[in-house]
Amino acid sequence: MQQKKQLSLFDLSMIVVSLVIGMGVFRTPVNVAAKAQIPELFYLAWFIGGFVAFCGALTYAEIGSRFPVTGGYYKIFSSAYHPSIAFAINCIVIISSAASVAAISIIGAEYLSKIILPAAKQTETYRVAIAIVTILVFYIINLLGLKASSKTQNVLTVIKIGMILTLICAVFFGGQTETVTPVFKTATGTLPTWSDYGKALGLCLIAVSFSYAGYAQTINFGGEVKEAKKVIPRSIIIGLTIIVALYLAINYVYVKVIGFEELKSAESIAAILASKIFGPAGFSALSVIIFFSVMGYVNVNLLSNPRAMFAMGEEGALPKIFSRMNKKTEVITVSLTVFTVIAVVIIFYAKTFDKILNYTIFLESISMASSAATIFILRKRTAHLDKKTIYTVPLYPILPVIFIAAYTFVAFSIYADDQNAALNGLYIFVGFLAIYFVSRWFNKK
């Protein structure tokens, strides 16, 4: 069934912003500050994360321009490597994306529960319930069709950008005077070496990478974008420019307003900025608005990930039922439903944000590094394309190599910090490869 070209430059740019800005930037700065120990390393981690994100954005802009298809994040692996690799990586992506949806929903529930529930009921059980209801609401909206969900996405993303700009204004209302000078401490109590700083930076980049991740999924919409070869690169670049500027600014404000030592263990940091601007009432108001921004992240993942599952169904990596589309609404109903169920199950499995973080980013690191590497193969296979009609990444191959190396470094940092999370990720990858070949063998039989 031929899909309609429904998404404009603005639509896709807002999707990019929402794929990245979930709720991570309202929670992960606490993790980054705790691992960094000193402000200089904290700022360096966010700057490096932004630079790596731009390298990735430009790389994926060319991939999307050369390969504009629905479910592109699956099909680039299938075309460049092998369908088994595509199957294993995309199953990992689907699980890690569902885990991200679960994590972000829990963060939103933490904020909202402080407003709508009495202190006695601000428990893990109620937060889980709020997170699940949020996911189910947007599952229903996505059943209405791409037009309804994309317009909803635009509104939620504009609210999110406006909210972050408002929070940045807290810097004009007075900052926190540091009472303790931050000091970098080593495990042995000796003076830190470059190796100690490097290890700490690697741990910082785990949480930073979580906050910047997601924009690669933009290429899943290639078959539904007007003038895809022009619009996909522009939307990725516009979206990442907005994201990096907002992230660097708001992290500077966190340190100035809350204080670096306090930031290491602070809770509801965005609401603290709001209370600085609006007083006690601002804490409540911004907590509700922050919860609405969670909805944007949930919605955009329910938009994106089922399209990868759709592509897998089209090529037979998943049962054909996953490529089934409602003829009236053009909704990929089965894939959407399965992805929603996975996200809800993960909430029950790992009920806190910190448990989900390492697991998610290790899987994300594998998929990001390997998907970006497809640019080298696509360049050779699509060398016949007119360069005037496609986007090409500048400083090739330096920027793609920097991006791949950065995510490889993050994966090793996770392994050093939490071997179980890393090994479980590898076992899952091998397990999906085995599932692919076993299912192919049964199909031949």
Side-chain angles (χ1 to χ4, degrees):
M1 180 177 174
Q2 186 65 38
Q3 292 166 290
K4 296 176 184 176
K5 306 289 186 181
Q6 301 182 63
L7 297 176
S8 66
L9 175 63
F10 180 76
D11 293 333
L12 203 59
S13 297
M14 292 301 97
I15 285 173
V16 172
V17 173
S18 269
L19 278 167
V20 177
I21 304 179
M23 284 297 297
V25 75
F26 304 129
R27 177 64 168 79
T28 54
V30 175
N31 302 64
V32 179
K35 299 295 184 184
Q37 301 190 58
I38 54 175
E40 293 82 359
L41 207 55
F42 176 81
Y43 290 130
L44 180 62
W46 286 103
F47 178 80
I48 290 174
F51 175 69
V52 170
F54 263 114
C55 293
L58 297 175
T59 301
Y60 284 109
E62 178 168 339
I63 291 171
S65 182
R66 289 181 181 272
F67 210 66
V69 295
T70 298
Y73 204 75
Y74 169 80
K75 292 187 177 178
I76 58 168
F77 286 104
S78 182
S79 174
Y81 301 134
H82 187 270
S84 63
I85 302 295
F87 176 78
I89 287 289
N90 274 267
C91 285
I92 286 173
V93 169
I94 289 163
I95 291 174
S96 64
S97 295
S100 296
V101 168
I104 297 303
S105 299
I106 289 170
I107 296 172
E110 286 176 3
Y111 276 93
L112 190 64
S113 64
K114 295 180 189 302
I115 305 304
I116 65 173
L117 296 177
K121 292 186 176 181
Q122 292 176 22
T123 62
E124 185 179 274
T125 301
Y126 282 94
R127 287 196 291 270
V128 167
I130 293 170
I132 291 173
V133 169
T134 302
I135 292 172
L136 293 179
V137 165
F138 283 93
Y139 166 70
I140 293 169
I141 290 175
N142 275 269
L143 285 176
L144 299 176
L146 179 61
K147 202 69 176 176
S149 48
S150 67
K151 295 306 176 188
T152 302
Q153 193 61 48
N154 291 345
V155 172
L156 291 171
T157 307
V158 170
I159 291 173
K160 186 184 299 185
I161 293 171
M163 179 192 64
I164 295 176
L165 290 173
T166 302
L167 292 178
I168 289 170
C169 293
V171 75
F172 301 113
F173 290 81
Q176 181 77 27
T177 303
E178 291 280 7
T179 55
V180 179
T181 302
V183 177
F184 191 94
K185 298 176 182 177
T186 62
T188 58
T190 57
L191 289 175
T193 63
W194 285 109
S195 175
D196 294 318
Y197 288 127
K199 289 177 182 177
L201 180 62
L203 295 177
C204 291
L205 287 174
I206 296 172
V208 170
S209 298
F210 178 86
S211 299
Y212 276 114
Y215 52 86
Q217 300 295 320
T218 309
I219 61 176
N220 278 331
F221 298 92
E224 298 159 280
V225 177
K226 302 169 185 174
E227 297 183 273
K229 289 184 178 180
K230 292 182 180 179
V231 169
I232 292 175
R234 290 176 184 174
S235 64
I236 293 176
I237 294 167
I238 291 170
L240 253 293
T241 301
I242 294 170
I243 291 157
V244 172
L246 291 176
Y247 274 16
L248 294 179
I250 198 167
N251 278 288
Y252 173 80
V253 174
Y254 284 143
V255 173
K256 290 298 177 183
V257 173
I258 299 173
F260 189 74
E261 285 298 318
E262 288 75 10
L263 180 61
K264 293 177 182 179
S265 57
E267 293 184 1
S268 304
I269 52 178
I272 293 173
L273 298 189
S275 63
K276 196 78 175 178
I277 301 171
F278 303 109
F283 189 100
S284 300
L286 259 292
S287 292
V288 174
I289 295 174
I290 285 168
F291 178 71
F292 275 96
S293 79
V294 167
M295 293 182 178
Y297 185 81
V298 171
N299 185 57
V300 79
N301 273 276
L302 294 179
L303 268 169
S304 172
N305 288 282
R307 281 160 171 76
M309 298 166 76
F310 167 84
M312 293 165 78
E314 270 195 324
E315 292 201 358
L318 285 177
K320 287 292 182 183
I321 193 172
F322 281 87
S323 63
R324 186 174 294 174
M325 185 183 294
N326 185 299
K327 292 183 179 180
K328 184 177 179 182
T329 61
E330 293 194 351
V331 174
I332 310 162
T333 312
V334 174
S335 294
L336 173 62
T337 302
V338 171
F339 180 78
T340 302
V341 170
I342 294 171
V344 171
V345 168
I346 289 174
I347 288 179
F348 281 110
Y349 177 72
K351 297 177 181 178
T352 63
F353 174 77
D354 292 317
K355 285 182 182 178
I356 293 173
L357 184 59
N358 278 7
Y359 174 77
T360 301
I361 293 303
F362 186 79
L363 297 178
E364 187 80 22
S365 298
I366 294 173
S367 66
M368 294 287 271
S370 53
S371 60
T374 62
I375 192 172
F376 305 117
I377 300 168
L378 285 177
R379 274 219 171 190
K380 291 182 179 179
R381 292 187 181 174
T382 58
H384 61 282
L385 294 177
D386 184 356
K387 291 185 178 180
K388 293 180 181 179
T389 63
I390 60 171
Y391 175 83
T392 55
V393 62
L395 300 178
Y396 177 89
I398 296 172
L399 298 189
V401 168
I402 290 173
F403 179 78
I404 293 165
Y407 269 91
T408 304
F409 176 62
V410 169
F412 278 111
S413 297
I414 294 170
Y415 180 81
D417 183 53
D418 188 349
Q419 287 189 13
N420 285 335
L423 290 174
N424 286 338
L426 291 175
Y427 295 150
I428 289 169
F429 177 77
V430 173
F432 281 128
L433 283 178
I435 289 170
Y436 175 86
F437 286 110
V438 169
S439 65
R440 296 287 289 181
W441 183 78
F442 272 110
N443 286 340
K444 286 181 180 179
K445 285 286 185 181

